[in-house]
Amino acid sequence: MRKLLYWAGQYLLATGSMFALLVAIDVLIRGEAFETGARQSLAWAVLASAIFIGSRYYQCHKGSADARCGGTAGKR
């Protein structure tokens, strides 16, 4: 199974990219102020990334050995 550093990196990558996307949508498309859009976008990005990475961790931890989780199913 992957180490904690891998999952922390995945979480930061997901949060950062989701934050950038949500800020761009809030500020550029919807026309909100940056301060309001950034706070709300950060909150949603942190929450959504926690759910996303948590579910990926759970699936890998549960024992579904496949290429995404780094499992060695079928290899001896």
Side-chain angles (χ1 to χ4, degrees):
M1 189 158 90
R2 306 265 183 173
K3 297 191 186 266
L4 180 62
L5 185 62
Y6 171 78
W7 293 109
Q10 290 290 305
Y11 177 75
L12 291 175
L13 178 67
T15 302
S17 60
M18 204 173 308
F19 173 70
L21 179 66
L22 291 173
V23 163
I25 290 171
D26 278 346
V27 173
L28 299 176
I29 296 175
R30 292 178 55 197
E32 290 187 17
F34 180 77
E35 294 82 18
T36 305
R39 271 189 261 134
Q40 290 176 353
S41 295
L42 181 62
W44 281 109
V46 166
L47 181 67
S49 296
I51 293 170
F52 176 69
I53 299 300
S55 68
R56 286 191 62 210
Y57 176 78
Y58 175 75
Q59 290 171 359
C60 288
H61 186 69
K62 189 172 68 169
S64 59
D66 59 7
R68 289 178 297 160
C69 298
T72 58
K75 296 181 182 177
R76 291 186 184 215

